[in-house]
Amino acid sequence: MTQTLTLTRPDDWHLHLRDGAMLKAVLPETARDFGRAIIMPNLVPPVVTGAQAAAYRDRILAALPEGMAFEPLMTLYLTEDTDPEDVAAAHASGLVKAVKLYPAGATTNSSSGVSNFDKVRPVLEKMAEIGLPLCTHGEVTDHDIDIFDREAVFIDRVLDPIRRATPGLRVVMEHITTKNAADYVASQEQDLGATITTHHLIINRNHILVGGIKPHYYCLPVAKREEHRLALRTAATSGDARYFLGTDSAPHVDAAKESGCGCAGCFTATNTIPLLAHVFEEDGKLENLEKFASQNGPAFYQLPENPGQITLVKSEAATQFPTKIASDDGPVTLFDPGYPIYWSVA
Ligand code: DOR
Ligand code: ZN
């Protein structure tokens, strides 16, 4: 018996597309199922100005295969030198949909991020005034804070103070990994949303470390204990408008992952939607998948939902996903949930 499920075409509210050969290889993997994505600006060098975002957008559109429709929603990388007027102009032109805050040193290509939050106050105030959302990589980088505690400490020490000091600033807590973050979102009445990745609904920290280290499960923020994964499942599948999909699909070639100092990032663009159907069905919440993947995000970003639809099919035979995506820089391993998936996108 096959089962089908038709959804408004989804969006990915947090995606890494990179540039050059990698962009060309991974873009079709997202464009196949998604209408739009919020594009992360952590290139080398980062996408800081409106002019850089416009040029990156053009490179993305040039890399899109003929016949595929996809709209990149551009972001600016917040630095201590970011000019509030440049941000406002990039927003007013419709080019930029969010500004990304990386604490300096938090993750891949974040060395230009923010150390002194007072220095970005004028930008944050301008963003509150014009209604431009701030996307946060919510981890402190202090060496004395345990890596598994960095998200919870960020909420108390950085995020909550910023939000109190900047009324009206709309914030997306990106790729939340803890019950603390899900609870913080639930406790706030306005101006706060959160993205949740596919992989954080599937793996906990044991998956990374038990039975041999699994570099393809390593990402930042790192997966936490099982109780946190379960809290994320509850939040994502609840239908609550404050939680929406941001895959954080982050391609690195195998040589960079399977290394003595492996890069952070899980590549999930290709199989995210089937994996989510599995997760939502397992939790008896298939009816809320469309909210999480296709409706809550546009509502937060004050954009229309995508006009098209996708249809998911559940078959008796397990779906055969590729294990790797080829790029001219080398192969990229696709996230493997570790169990068979029977859903696919028609
Ligand atoms: O795992 C991650 N990979 N987390 C990030 O914050 C950055 C991303 C990347 O760019 O590879
Ligand atoms: Zn990311």
Side-chain angles (χ1 to χ4, degrees):
M1 255 277 288
T2 57
Q3 189 185 340
T4 64
L5 177 68
T6 296
L7 305 178
T8 297
R9 193 169 189 80
D11 298 302
D12 184 348
W13 299 96
H14 181 129
L15 176 67
H16 297 269
L17 284 178
R18 317 298 190 204
D19 217 339
M22 186 61 87
L23 166 63
K24 201 166 184 323
V26 300
L27 177 58
E29 301 303 304
T30 287
R32 202 174 291 131
D33 295 345
F34 294 88
R36 298 167 292 194
I38 284 274
I39 309 300
M40 286 297 115
N42 64 332
L43 304 182
V44 190
V47 179
V48 173
T49 64
Q52 289 167 334
Y56 186 30
R57 181 173 189 278
D58 290 347
R59 296 199 297 281
I60 294 168
L61 292 175
L64 191 64
E66 277 280 322
M68 276 188 149
F70 175 73
E71 186 185 355
L73 305 174
M74 306 311 292
T75 63
L76 298 178
Y77 186 118
L78 183 62
T79 74
E80 293 178 4
D81 300 318
T82 293
D83 173 7
E85 294 312 320
D86 181 62
V87 170
H91 172 249
S93 75
L95 172 70
V96 156
K97 297 290 187 267
V99 171
K100 177 68 189 257
L101 166 68
Y102 286 104
T107 185
T108 311
N109 306 334
S110 62
S111 56
S112 316
V114 178
S115 304
N116 180 350
F117 289 89
D118 289 336
K119 292 214 173 134
V120 296
R121 172 137 309 290
V123 182
L124 299 181
E125 280 166 5
K126 177 58 80 176
M127 290 168 60
E129 181 192 318
I130 63 181
L132 180 61
L134 179 73
C135 293
T136 59
H137 182 107
E139 290 190 285
V140 294
T141 54
D142 313 49
H143 293 290
D144 58 329
I145 305 293
D146 189 276
I147 190 168
F148 292 101
D149 298 333
R150 288 178 174 198
E151 182 173 286
V153 173
F154 179 87
I155 296 168
D156 293 343
R157 287 196 193 166
V158 182
L159 179 62
D160 195 59
I162 284 179
R163 293 187 61 242
R164 284 175 195 280
T166 326
L169 180 65
R170 308 182 66 241
V171 175
V172 182
M173 295 174 70
E174 300 210 276
H175 44 52
I176 61 170
T177 59
T178 57
K179 181 171 189 303
N180 312 59
D183 288 349
Y184 180 71
V185 175
S187 74
Q188 302 298 300
E189 264 155 37
Q190 56 186 24
D191 298 334
L192 187 64
T195 59
I196 303 178
T197 75
T198 308
H199 50 283
H200 287 116
L201 298 174
I202 294 174
I203 59 167
N204 63 33
R205 63 192 196 178
N206 278 16
H207 291 88
I208 310 171
L209 296 169
V210 174
I213 192 158
K214 314 293 188 315
H216 297 291
Y217 287 161
Y218 172 63
C219 69
L220 288 171
V222 69
K224 309 295 193 295
R225 288 177 180 275
E226 178 66 357
E227 66 186 278
H228 297 290
R229 186 185 73 91
L230 294 176
L232 300 176
R233 292 271 289 229
T234 301
T237 61
S238 68
D240 186 321
R242 293 170 290 193
Y243 307 102
F244 40 95
L245 173 63
T247 66
D248 199 12
S249 181
H252 293 276
V253 294
D254 283 353
K257 294 286 294 174
E258 299 167 8
S259 145
C261 183
C263 291
C266 296
F267 178 69
T268 55
T270 310
N271 56 359
T272 272
I273 295 295
L275 291 177
L276 289 174
H278 178 99
V279 163
F280 277 67
E281 183 181 43
E282 197 168 65
D283 288 5
K285 293 287 176 61
L286 208 45
E287 74 275 12
N288 287 338
L289 176 58
E290 187 174 38
K291 295 194 179 81
F292 181 68
S294 314
Q295 296 177 331
N296 295 347
F300 185 91
Y301 277 91
Q302 300 170 343
L303 292 169
E305 291 171 17
N306 286 317
Q309 295 180 319
I310 60 165
T311 296
L312 281 146
V313 180
K314 188 181 182 193
S315 306
E316 295 204 348
T319 308
Q320 299 300 309
F321 296 107
T323 55
K324 294 175 195 291
I325 301 297
S327 85
D328 284 350
D329 291 341
V332 176
T333 292
L334 180 64
F335 177 80
D336 175 3
Y339 44 72
I341 300 294
Y342 297 91
W343 290 95
S344 60
V345 179

